[in-house]
Amino acid sequence: MTKGPAPRPKPATPEIDAAPMVRCAQCGVHVPRDRALSQDQQWYCTETHRLQGPAARDR
Ligand SMILES: [Zn+2]
């Protein structure tokens, strides 16, 4: 039997603090940065949108 130290409860840290939101350059949705994909200093919500690149909204 293992008799290690009792498991310490994790401090209740709001996940929002640990995961700043970024905006997908393709569709504009906000996603946690640790789940977003970055390319060319842009962020994307999914691999699909990363491949599509930034939305063409120049005008
Ligand atoms: Zn997107």
Side-chain angles (χ1 to χ4, degrees):
M1 293 299 173
T2 50
K3 216 180 170 190
R8 297 172 69 174
K10 280 186 172 180
T13 311
E15 271 188 37
I16 286 184
D17 269 6
M21 303 293 275
V22 295
R23 185 171 163 277
C24 175
Q26 220 294 321
C27 66
V29 76
H30 286 84
V31 290
R33 197 174 62 188
D34 56 352
R35 295 180 61 184
L37 304 163
S38 68
Q39 178 172 296
D40 295 337
Q41 299 180 323
Q42 306 271 25
W43 291 96
Y44 300 95
C45 62
T46 59
E47 174 75 7
T48 306
H49 282 178
R50 187 181 68 80
L51 294 173
Q52 287 177 0
R57 298 200 292 171
D58 275 350
R59 36 187 308 178

